[in-house]
Amino acid sequence: MKIVVLVKQVPDSGAERTLRNDDNTVDRASANNVINEMDEYAIEEALRLQEAHGGEVVVLTVGPDRATESIRKALSMGPDSAVHVVDDALHGSCAVATSKVLAAAIAQQNADLVICGAESTDGRVQVMPHMVAERLGIAALTGARKLTVEGSQLTIERQTDEGYEVVTAATPALVSVWDTINDPRYPSFKGIMAAKKKPLQTLSLADLGIAAGEVGLDGATSAVAEHNKRPPRQAGNKIDAGDDGGAKLVEYLASEKFV
Amino acid sequence: MAEVLVVVEASSQGGVKKVTLEMLTLARTLGGDVAAVVLGGSSDELTAKLGEYGATKIYAAAGADLDEYLVAPKATVLAGLIQRVSPAAVLLASTQEGKEIAARVAVKLDNGVLTDVVALEPDGTATQVVFAGSTIVKSKVTKGLPIVTVRPNSLTPAPAPATPAVEPVEVAVADKDRLAKVVERKVEAKGARPELAEASIVVSGGRGVGSADNFKLVEELADLLGGAVGASRAAVDSGFYPHQFQVGQTGKTVSPQLYVALGISGAIQHRAGMQTSKTIVAVNKDAEAPIFELADFGVVGDLFKVVPQAAEEIRKRK
Ligand SMILES: Cc1cc2nc3c(=O)[nH]c(=O)nc-3n(C[C@H](O)[C@H](O)[C@H](O)COP(=O)(O)OP(=O)(O)OC[C@H]3O[C@@H](n4cnc5c(N)ncnc54)[C@H](O)[C@@H]3O)c2cc1C
Ligand SMILES: Nc1ncnc2c1ncn2[C@@H]1O[C@H](COP(=O)(O)O)[C@@H](O)[C@H]1O
């Protein structure tokens, strides 16, 4: 089985993140950039399938030059090789355009399975999996908390607000995963050394047959007009519980008409 | 005047979700008629509810294709409807399914899409809150019509009675829409509590709650207040409470009238999911816990003393 894992580089969600003032795009230059957390679970799931069924795992990233760091980090967990689509024209691409680039790059791979995160922590949009699957005309099993593979048959448990759904499809297919699906491994020292020598193919938009005007700020289907910091919340009253903390809490709730 | 389409979200029991009423209320402010789109079973009760909140028309699509497969058939039907009626805007709920349908429709129509929108102007300007609630963004779809997903609890639903005309919509989907088959739907018991993303009161527990068993305390307070139960990631990872109740960056975003944080430190990724709550109350034994920086009312103390006492006090007042 050949598996392509989609890995996005995002600004660390544990630090302060901002938009650029010049063109309202995510400030990636001054941020500490990391692998989108959910994508580590996607990599882990791909590696487990490879261990059980054999085959090949390829990492695919669309992003700027500096995303190479994240790609090497991803490779250090164990995948065989990586594809990095990098092109100056991609700066400021919207989700619709990015999905076109990802789909074109996936199409070149002849993969049986595409695994990605359920959402990214910078956009939090949760749209990419279905956009990519729609373009490729393959099944999308999204929001998986469990994946089982038997031959070419895939089954997931999909988390819903009310419980879960069991959803099946045959390969070729795309599966998106939540962080409940597994515990990603830490790269070993050997893995980190090996990652430096693993094949990393760099592709431009031209290599994918996509024109510069179809992506980037010019080709975007939506635009940010302005952005502002939200005024930080003001801390209110803080009391010591003493002997009647619970009673005081309820007094406050009552004064706000919650009780 | 072109219509504004509101894609209805209903629970598996067929009741309309509150976010649908919020979207109908929002749609009425955009100019033009409000039409609800039902993708899946509809009923007289549903029609009445949609009418009560201002839907003058209901596009009703039904059939096995919509029920038995994941979102793709729904997207095909919605995209077809959009092409036929050329609406002024399309509103979907910012839920997993709402975003997924919107994603597919955007690709089919080569149209922009904005997610997690909290406000929308008649000129299509949308407001989004991003980066853990720290930044407010105004954005617009610049290609095609505004297709936006609306975050639950972004506005207060208000009735505006109308008598909707129901127009059946044909479901004609392709084989490639029938690839992901739903073979089973499991409802995990949550009792009578409101749904987390929609609840006007949320009581959440963190690592400080200590065990799955102790979460009964959190549930008790939630039930006394008529709220939903949430949990921090540390509580979920420790197995205290199921993942679908996680609040934060990698869980649900909630925006209730009241958020109560019990034994939660207030890490940035947790704040991402609850920062826009109207009123925040925290109980934590560490006076320096960051959660107090955003709490309107904070109690520094042991939650195992404070919460039972508060529960007792609420019972007394009832
Ligand atoms: C990419 C990423 C995504 C993440 N997504 C999320 C997310 O979606 N949601 C989320 O919540 N976190 C998320 N996290 C984790 C987050 O960083 C924190 O680790 C987590 O929120 C901590 O949970 P907590 O506050 O329950 O635990 P802790 O930080 O351990 O805090 C426990 C608190 O309980 C208090 N306490 C202990 N005992 C008592 C007592 N008896 N009475 C009163 N107080 C007591 C302690 O003083 C402490 O402040 C994410 C992290 C990353 C890296
Ligand atoms: N530029 C990108 N390069 C590679 N993968 C991506 C990219 N953008 C999104 N993805 C994948 O799509 C998933 C969902 O992203 P999103 O729809 O942006 O929330 C992520 O977890 C990634 O696996």
Side-chain angles (χ1 to χ4, degrees):
Chain A
M1 168 142 32
K2 180 164 180 183
I3 306 173
V4 171
V5 189
L6 307 187
V7 175
K8 185 182 187 183
Q9 189 185 49
V10 298
D12 185 355
S13 66
E16 198 185 335
R17 293 162 292 169
T18 52
L19 292 171
R20 274 163 57 162
N21 284 324
D22 53 352
D23 64 2
N24 296 322
T25 61
V26 177
D27 189 348
R28 299 182 191 278
S30 62
N32 176 26
N33 293 296
V34 298
I35 294 180
N36 178 42
E37 211 221 12
M38 218 72 85
D39 301 349
E40 293 182 18
Y41 297 79
I43 298 167
E44 178 64 34
E45 201 59 22
L47 293 173
R48 289 184 188 192
L49 288 177
Q50 184 186 36
E51 281 155 14
H53 304 278
E56 187 189 347
V57 177
V58 181
V59 168
L60 170 61
T61 296
V62 173
D65 269 335
R66 73 176 70 83
T68 314
E69 291 161 37
S70 296
I71 295 172
R72 289 288 175 203
K73 171 127 192 278
L75 288 173
S76 71
M77 287 173 71
D80 302 293
S81 63
V83 176
H84 184 186
V85 183
V86 50
D87 198 307
D88 288 344
L90 282 167
H91 174 73
S93 294
C94 67
V96 178
T98 303
S99 72
K100 187 184 281 184
V101 181
L102 282 168
I106 294 166
Q108 288 192 345
Q109 294 291 323
N110 269 320
D112 303 292
L113 186 57
V114 179
I115 307 185
C116 64
E119 70 179 20
S120 54
T121 54
D122 57 347
R124 277 219 74 167
V125 276
Q126 237 180 85
V127 291
M128 204 52 73
H130 276 276
M131 284 186 173
V132 168
E134 173 73 32
R135 288 191 188 276
L136 294 170
I138 61 174
L141 301 178
T142 46
R145 67 178 195 187
K146 187 174 173 207
L147 167 65
T148 40
V149 178
E150 275 169 68
S152 63
Q153 197 64 25
L154 311 171
T155 305
I156 66 154
E157 279 183 22
R158 165 177 158 107
Q159 181 104 57
T160 65
D161 288 337
E162 296 170 340
Y164 67 93
E165 297 168 335
V166 179
V167 193
T168 62
T171 56
L174 175 147
V175 174
S176 80
V177 304
W178 283 115
D179 50 358
T180 33
I181 198 162
N182 57 40
D183 284 312
R185 65 195 68 187
Y186 289 102
S188 64
F189 179 70
K190 220 176 110 206
I192 294 168
M193 296 315 288
K196 296 185 176 151
K197 297 193 205 81
K198 286 183 178 170
L200 195 172
Q201 185 188 11
T202 307
L203 296 177
S204 67
L205 285 173
D207 294 329
L208 296 172
I210 294 173
E214 295 176 61
V215 299
L217 286 168
D218 289 342
T221 58
S222 58
V224 174
E226 58 174 277
H227 62 92
N228 292 294
K229 283 270 168 222
R230 225 167 128 258
R233 287 187 83 104
Q234 299 298 319
N237 200 4
K238 186 164 79 176
I239 61 155
D240 252 324
D243 288 333
D244 59 353
K248 282 191 181 136
L249 175 61
V250 175
E251 243 167 64
Y252 174 78
L253 293 178
S255 73
E256 296 288 319
K257 310 246 182 315
F258 291 116
V259 176
Chain B
M1 184 78 201
E3 294 165 328
V4 176
L5 298 185
V6 171
V7 179
V8 173
E9 278 245 335
S11 69
S12 61
Q13 287 82 36
V16 9
K17 288 196 185 175
K18 198 168 92 187
V19 64
T20 301
L21 310 180
E22 293 164 1
M23 290 192 287
L24 291 170
T25 305
L26 174 62
R28 299 201 312 261
T29 67
L30 301 177
D33 289 334
V34 176
V37 183
V38 179
L39 302 169
S42 83
S43 64
D44 292 347
E45 201 189 332
L46 188 65
T47 303
K49 194 82 180 170
L50 298 173
E52 190 186 332
Y53 284 81
T56 55
K57 193 190 272 179
I58 295 174
Y59 292 106
D65 280 336
L66 298 180
D67 298 333
E68 289 174 11
Y69 301 94
L70 268 198
V71 306
K74 292 183 177 175
T76 294
V77 171
L78 181 60
L81 182 65
I82 292 171
Q83 282 176 312
R84 180 157 69 81
V85 306
S86 301
V90 181
L91 312 186
L92 300 100
S94 228
T95 53
Q96 174 164 268
E97 180 169 290
K99 289 182 189 181
E100 291 179 345
I101 296 173
R104 284 186 176 262
V105 169
V107 165
K108 284 176 195 289
L109 305 178
D110 196 17
N111 194 107
V113 57
L114 297 170
T115 56
D116 275 311
V117 165
V118 298
L120 186 65
E121 310 295 327
D123 74 351
T125 303
T127 307
Q128 295 161 294
V129 183
V130 304
F131 295 154
S134 68
T135 305
I136 297 175
V137 166
K138 301 259 189 207
S139 39
K140 245 180 170 171
V141 168
T142 49
K143 186 161 189 197
L145 65 147
I147 298 179
V148 306
T149 71
V150 180
R151 197 149 98 183
N153 267 339
S154 298
L155 70 156
T156 310
T163 311
V166 180
E167 184 185 316
V169 174
E170 195 200 346
V171 176
V173 306
D175 282 347
K176 77 176 183 72
D177 295 327
R178 295 195 194 93
L179 297 174
K181 190 165 171 53
V182 180
V183 292
E184 202 179 340
R185 288 200 169 86
K186 282 249 166 90
V187 175
E188 287 171 334
K190 63 164 180 158
R193 283 184 203 115
E195 193 175 302
L196 183 54
E198 306 214 316
S200 43
I201 296 181
V202 175
V203 181
S204 288
R207 200 199 309 268
V209 173
S211 71
D213 204 39
N214 290 344
F215 248 79
K216 290 202 189 91
L217 265 184
V218 183
E219 291 182 333
E220 185 189 11
L221 186 59
D223 290 341
L224 282 167
L225 293 168
V229 174
S232 75
R233 180 169 179 174
V236 170
D237 284 352
S238 312
F240 300 172
Y241 221 63
H243 179 257
Q244 65 259 43
F245 299 101
Q246 182 175 314
V247 171
Q249 180 83 64
T250 42
K252 293 265 152 53
T253 302
V254 300
S255 198
Q257 297 296 319
L258 173 65
Y259 188 86
V260 182
L262 306 173
I264 293 177
S265 62
I268 191 163
Q269 293 95 349
H270 186 76
R271 287 148 73 147
M274 45 68 75
Q275 179 120 260
T276 57
S277 306
K278 305 294 171 304
T279 299
I280 297 173
V281 169
V283 180
N284 195 305
K285 67 180 180 190
D286 174 10
E288 304 302 317
I291 191 78
F292 288 124
E293 290 162 21
L294 55 159
D296 299 285
F297 190 80
V299 180
V300 182
D302 184 355
L303 72 90
F304 296 107
K305 293 210 181 90
V306 175
V307 176
Q309 191 181 69
E312 196 46 49
E313 183 66 28
I314 296 173
R315 265 191 224 100
K316 257 193 254 161
R317 287 176 188 241
K318 277 196 168 170

